Amino acid sequence: MANKNLFQTLFGARQPVPDTRNESGGPAWSLSNEQALALFAATGCLEQTFYATGKEQLEAVLALANACEPRFVAQTAVFAREQGCMKDLPALLCAVLAVRDGALLASVFPRVIDSGKMLRNFVQIVRSGQVGRKSLGTLPRRLVRDWFAARSEQQLFDASIGASPSLADIVKMVHPKPATPARGNLYAYLIGKPFDASLLPAEVQQFELFKLGVAALPDISFQFLSALPLDEAQWRTIAQRASWTTLRLNLNTFQRHGVFACAETTALLAARLGDAEQVRRAKAFPYQIMTTLFHLDAEIPAGIRQALTTALDLSTANVPTLPGRTVVAVDISGSMQSPVTGHRKGSTTAATCLDTAALFAAAILRQNPGATVIPFHDRVCDVVLDASAPVLTTSAQLRALPSGGTNCSAVLALLNQRRESADTVIYLSDNQSWVDAGQGTGTAMLAEWRRFKHRNRAARLVCIDLQPYRTVQAPVADDVVHVGGFSDQVFEVLRTVAERDRSPDLWVDRIRKVAI
């Protein structure tokens, strides 16, 4: 008999040798600089995750941004902001461009730095010295001045909420030139210098008069009013005027101030929360709506809860119908208990990676009733799911399963053992497999995938990475797609896969197509 160690099959000898170890010590492949930067931009919040600190994330992103071509950095910043709705990473990438390529920074600045929050992020990052400079410099200073010039007095007043730095601090830094006496007067008002109240925008005048007790409740941003002594009727007015996102984020506050004591107001607010168009415009991540549901006070009316459940289903309506048979592997291991956006002092999200993975799996199952969902940790877990059940109900079943170590090959091994077929296999995981380490020269997941492909020639593996790490268990290939994030852009990639796009690096290609 031939020596089996010398004459191994396709599944062993021809598998490339992993070039690194993952965060849990298991064999893995490194992502390219562009692939890793794209993943960090979609999932990184510069906060502590299960395996990495915020400082380590920052150092990794800076190294990647400096290793990639400036044009790709600019495209990633735009993609992460416009498509991924991220905040910290796009601002950081703009700060990197301030050092590397001013022309590219100028071209993407208005698209990425599109709010007062984003402006404060950008200025804070540049002045921190982390990107190689501690002052704004000539070009960034001009871009910030242009940012002020492009906005109305009302928009600047709304953007003045927030600190570290405040908008007033930034005005003092860059000294924007007022085009009109009214604009100069507003700048004086913002930075605490003498001003002419008659030249302030009408809303600001009303706000100042309201604080003196001589005017009605002004129609301004909720944050300006929340610390003032208000009666129940005024709180109801604020809730009715609030944006969809402000309403969602402050339901408990409104409950404490008696807003839902009025049945008419409750019905109105519930209708808004469950309105498909308002949910779409709000661009809320599914996990954010789920987190809101987790934290609702017990006294919140049932109609409000039901409206949020409807909003959750609407936020996942972008899930495509996938052709053929679909298998969804859901990682329920211990590391998936980490907050999906990392540990942030004072504001750590209640939503874990597992919560998000379970939610996405439930949404995929709801849209694809013939799909098979297989949870795993160090082994596969049995679960019976109802595809017609609400997304929240199905995700709760998955979250309630017992946990363990991480064995990413377990699901594929089970499919191979049963000689089952599928057209698309989707993994929802942080990809930090270690239980199956040491089984051959490569990773067990890639070996099992190759066995699976031997029987399913047209199948594709889609790995949805929920955490910003630089390693994977199966390298990017024509039949292996990696996508990062927890926005509905994940569903857009699934749609592209369903259309049988055979791009060898689909996620990076989407970023490269961003026009700048």
Side-chain angles (χ1 to χ4, degrees), residues 305-385:
R305 293 178 184 276
Q306 183 55 51
L308 278 174
T309 302
T310 299
L312 181 59
D313 285 340
L314 290 169
S315 73
T316 58
N318 200 26
V319 177
T321 300
L322 299 170
R325 188 187 176 213
T326 299
V327 173
V328 185
V330 185
D331 185 350
I332 59 173
S333 65
S335 61
M336 293 288 284
Q337 301 294 336
S338 177
V340 70
T341 55
H343 295 274
R344 180 177 301 207
K345 187 176 181 180
S347 60
T348 297
T349 178
T352 65
C353 293
L354 173 56
D355 293 332
T356 306
L359 184 65
F360 279 8
I364 294 168
L365 179 63
R366 183 76 179 270
Q367 190 65 25
N368 298 269
T372 301
V373 176
I374 305 177
F376 71 93
H377 43 86
D378 51 76
R379 61 187 181 278
V380 166
C381 296
D382 293 326
V383 65
V384 177
L385 302 174

Side-chain angles (χ1 to χ4, degrees), residues 438-453:
Q439 299 179 16
T441 57
T443 63
M445 182 174 176
L446 183 59
E448 294 293 349
W449 175 244
R450 288 192 165 188
R451 291 188 178 94
F452 186 81
K453 281 283 289 187

Side-chain angles (χ1 to χ4, degrees), residues 24-75:
S24 60
W29 281 272
S30 301
L31 293 169
S32 71
N33 291 326
E34 290 182 342
Q35 292 164 351
L37 183 62
L39 176 58
F40 270 84
T43 61
C45 297
L46 303 180
E47 302 296 338
Q48 181 178 343
T49 62
F50 191 85
Y51 290 109
T53 65
K55 183 175 185 296
E56 289 169 337
Q57 274 198 59
L58 173 61
E59 292 172 349
V61 172
L62 290 176
L64 291 167
N66 285 311
C68 293
E69 291 295 322
R71 180 176 179 81
F72 185 78
V73 174
Q75 290 171 313

Side-chain angles (χ1 to χ4, degrees), residues 84-358:
C85 302
M86 300 296 281
K87 298 181 181 70
D88 294 347
L89 261 296
L92 176 60
L93 295 181
C94 279
V96 170
L97 290 173
V99 175
R100 295 194 63 194
D101 195 313
L104 280 172
L105 173 64
S107 70
V108 303
F109 191 90
R111 297 171 64 181
V112 178
I113 310 303
D114 58 358
S115 68
K117 169 64 174 173
M118 291 300 295
L119 182 69
R120 293 196 303 275
N121 282 355
F122 173 76
V123 172
Q124 179 186 12
I125 290 169
V126 172
R127 287 173 57 82
S128 72
Q130 293 287 351
V131 297
R133 64 192 303 169
K134 288 191 174 182
S135 63
L136 287 178
T138 302
L139 176 62
R141 190 179 297 269
R142 175 176 67 78
L143 293 173
V144 173
R145 287 179 184 143
D146 291 345
W147 186 94
F148 278 95
R151 280 154 179 80
S152 68
E153 279 81 9
Q154 182 60 50
Q155 288 173 324
L156 290 177
F157 176 64
D158 290 342
S160 66
I161 299 167
S164 302
S166 66
L167 197 69
D169 293 332
I170 299 174
V171 170
K172 294 174 184 178
M173 289 178 203
V174 303
H175 303 291
K177 295 181 179 179
T180 65
R183 179 58 61 93
N185 191 66
L186 178 63
Y187 290 153
Y189 170 80
L190 291 175
I191 64 177
K193 289 189 174 182
F195 60 90
D196 182 348
S198 66
L199 292 179
L200 291 173
E203 294 87 349
V204 185
Q205 291 186 44
Q206 190 175 8
F207 175 54
E208 292 300 315
L209 292 173
F210 175 74
K211 289 192 293 183
L212 296 173
V214 295
L217 185 74
D219 187 5
I220 59 176
S221 297
F222 162 76
Q223 291 92 330
F224 288 111
L225 301 168
S226 59
L228 300 177
L230 304 172
D231 60 32
E232 192 172 291
Q234 289 170 328
W235 275 105
R236 284 200 299 270
T237 300
I238 290 173
Q240 291 166 6
R241 290 174 176 174
S243 68
W244 190 94
T245 299
T246 299
L247 176 59
R248 175 182 67 82
L249 290 173
N250 293 280
L251 290 171
N252 289 340
T253 298
F254 294 146
Q255 167 65 28
R256 288 195 300 273
H257 291 283
V259 170
F260 300 121
C262 173
E264 183 179 355
T265 299
T266 300
L268 175 67
L269 298 181
R272 287 183 54 206
L273 284 170
D275 181 76
E277 179 59 23
Q278 293 203 43
V279 172
R280 184 192 64 80
R281 286 204 308 265
K283 297 181 179 179
F285 292 169
Y287 85 85
Q288 292 173 322
I289 303 174
M290 178 177 61
T291 301
T292 299
L293 281 161
F294 287 170
H295 284 287
L296 284 183
D297 286 345
E299 295 80 11
I300 294 286
I304 297 294
R305 293 178 184 276
Q306 183 55 51
L308 278 174
T309 302
T310 299
L312 181 59
D313 285 340
L314 290 169
S315 73
T316 58
N318 200 26
V319 177
T321 300
L322 299 170
R325 188 187 176 213
T326 299
V327 173
V328 185
V330 185
D331 185 350
I332 59 173
S333 65
S335 61
M336 293 288 284
Q337 301 294 336
S338 177
V340 70
T341 55
H343 295 274
R344 180 177 301 207
K345 187 176 181 180
S347 60
T348 297
T349 178
T352 65
C353 293
L354 173 56
D355 293 332
T356 306

Side-chain angles (χ1 to χ4, degrees), residues 13 19 125 220 253 383 387 411 421 459 506 513:
D19 61 0
I125 290 169
I220 59 176
T253 298
V383 65
V411 173
S421 61
L506 193 151
K513 290 176 182 176

